[in-house]
Amino acid sequence: MATVGGAWWSVSAARRSAKQTSPVGYLLDVRDRLTPQTVASRARALYRGYRQGS
């Protein structure tokens, strides 16, 4: 089980690293951050934080 978890962690880290160093990866990250669902969830989180702080 630990070997499978370690392998998954390594693949995930390698994929993240490749995405960060690639221009295409950057564009995909921007696209993912600007999807309507992501923008709406961030807006809700900001609104909730603002309401709790008041």
Side-chain angles (χ1 to χ4, degrees), residues 12-25:
S12 178
R15 190 175 292 152
R16 190 176 328 112
S17 175
K19 186 176 177 183
Q20 289 174 346
T21 59
S22 166
V24 174

Side-chain angles (χ1 to χ4, degrees), residues 5-8 12-13 15-16 18 20 25-26 28-31 36 40-43 49 54:
W8 178 81
S12 178
R15 190 175 292 152
R16 190 176 328 112
Q20 289 174 346
Y26 172 77
L28 290 173
D29 187 47
V30 168
R31 184 196 66 184
S41 64
R42 288 184 181 184
S54 295

Side-chain angles (χ1 to χ4, degrees), residues 40-51:
S41 64
R42 288 184 181 184
R44 279 193 301 273
L46 283 172
Y47 179 71
R48 286 182 189 142
Y50 175 74
R51 282 187 38 203

